Amino acid sequence: METDKPIIAMSGITKRFGGVTALDDVDLNAYPGEVLAIVGDNGAGKSTLIKILTGVYQPTSGAMFLDDAPLTMSSHSEAIERGIDAVYQTLALADHLDPAANLFLGAELTKSFLGMRFLDNRKMRSESVRVLKDRLGVTLKSMDVATQSLSGGQRQAIAIARAVRHSDLRVLVMDEPTAALGPQETARTLKLIKALKAQGLAVIVISHSLDDVFEISDRIHVMRRGRCVGVERTHQSNRETVLGLIVGAHKAA
C-alpha cells in the first residue's frame, strides 16, 4: 500500500553523454508496497533512468534521496548496499551452474575445515530453497539440475531470488520481466511481482507490455524523448491514454 513518503525520490535528473541529452529534468518517486511501471518507446530514456537509480550511471545534474536523505552512488554494488537492486532482461545467470550456485554467485558461502575454506554447498542449497519458497512461493522439483534446463519462469524466479535474499532489499527494478515468456510463464512472473509488492518492496517494472502493466502496476511513469511526460494512476487510466502519452498524441491531465 502506497504511503505518504517515497522510499526513493529522483528530482530533476538530467544525464548527458557528450552533446546528447538522454534524460532531461526527470522526477520519479517509488513508494513501499507499490509497483511503479515505466513505459515508453525505445530511446525514451527508460534504461538510462534505471541505470542511474541502480548506481550504474551518475547523473549530470539533479538529486536522489533515500528515505528523505541525500543519496549518491558510484557503482551498482553501492546501490545494493543501500537496498536497491535490479533484475535485467538478460537475468545474468550462469546456465551451467545449479540454482543455488546462481543465487549465491559472487557471494558464495564458505566454511572452514582444517584451517582451509571450502564452499558451503549444503547451506547455500538450504538457504536457496528457503528464499524461493518463503519470498516467492516457488518450489523447484530439483536443485541438482543446470539452470539452463529450467523454464523461463523458473529462471526468472532464480534471478529475482538472488536479489531478494538480501534482507535489506527495499527497491527492486525489473527490466522487461516477461519478455520472451509464454502466457503461463508470464502469469507466474506477474504473480511473483505481486508477492514482492505484498512484502512491502517498491517494485519498478520497465515493460513494453501494457497488458502486464495494467495488471500489476499501481502507477505508470511515461517517458518520451528523455522526459517524463506523465504519471498515471493505473486504476484511473486506460491504454489509450498511456499510448497517447508514449507517442506524444496528447499531454497528461
Side-chain angles (χ1 to χ4, degrees):
M1 194 72 181
E2 185 180 322
T3 64
D4 291 337
K5 292 186 177 181
I7 293 177
I8 192 89
M10 306 175 79
S11 177
I13 298 296
T14 296
K15 179 63 177 179
R16 298 186 182 92
F17 297 96
V20 176
T21 300
L23 293 175
D24 184 10
D25 193 28
V26 176
D27 296 342
L28 179 147
N29 292 325
Y31 294 85
E34 77 155 354
V35 177
L36 174 69
I38 301 179
V39 301
D41 282 337
N42 292 333
K46 307 184 301 295
S47 294
T48 302
L49 185 63
I50 67 162
K51 285 180 178 178
I52 290 174
L53 176 63
T54 56
V56 178
Y57 293 158
Q58 286 71 53
T60 303
S61 62
M64 293 194 293
F65 302 88
L66 182 67
D67 292 328
D68 289 335
L71 173 66
T72 57
M73 299 175 291
S74 59
S75 67
H76 181 53
S77 297
E78 191 170 349
I80 293 174
E81 292 173 359
R82 306 299 294 272
I84 304 165
D85 204 351
V87 176
Y88 293 104
Q89 187 174 346
T90 60
L91 301 184
L93 297 174
D95 283 341
H96 64 289
L97 297 179
D98 63 36
N102 268 294
L103 255 74
F104 286 90
L105 194 63
E108 290 81 3
L109 302 180
T110 61
K111 58 184 177 182
S112 179
F113 182 71
L114 297 177
M116 299 179 65
R117 303 298 300 181
F118 295 91
L119 290 177
D120 194 341
N121 291 310
R122 179 178 295 181
K123 187 172 182 180
M124 287 190 288
R125 179 172 299 189
S126 64
E127 181 66 7
S128 297
V129 170
R130 184 193 67 79
V131 171
L132 283 164
K133 179 63 176 177
D134 292 353
R135 298 298 301 273
L136 302 179
V138 172
T139 301
L140 299 179
K141 289 183 178 180
S142 175
M143 297 292 287
D144 295 318
V145 298
T147 301
Q148 64 186 0
S149 70
L150 300 176
S151 70
Q154 290 170 328
R155 289 164 52 81
Q156 182 71 257
I158 292 169
I160 296 171
R162 183 167 59 195
V164 302
R165 73 175 181 83
H166 299 285
S167 60
D168 55 355
L169 180 72
R170 304 184 64 202
V171 180
L172 181 64
V173 177
M174 302 188 69
D175 183 17
E176 298 290 350
T178 61
L181 296 182
Q184 289 185 334
E185 295 293 329
T186 292
R188 293 189 185 102
T189 297
L190 298 182
K191 184 178 179 181
L192 298 183
I193 294 171
K194 292 174 183 177
L196 297 175
K197 169 187 171 178
Q199 294 168 30
L201 268 66
V203 184
I204 300 173
V205 175
I206 296 177
S207 180
H208 281 98
S209 171
L210 289 185
D211 286 342
D212 294 351
V213 164
F214 272 88
E215 179 173 344
I216 62 170
S217 71
D218 298 285
R219 293 184 300 128
I220 305 171
H221 177 109
V222 186
M223 297 290 297
R224 176 173 166 79
R225 296 180 179 176
R227 297 183 63 89
C228 174
V229 292
V231 180
E232 295 282 314
R233 291 194 176 274
T234 306
H235 73 280
Q236 296 174 347
S237 188
N238 55 59
R239 288 164 179 77
E240 290 73 23
T241 297
V242 172
L243 280 171
L245 289 168
I246 290 173
V247 302
H250 60 78
K251 297 181 180 180

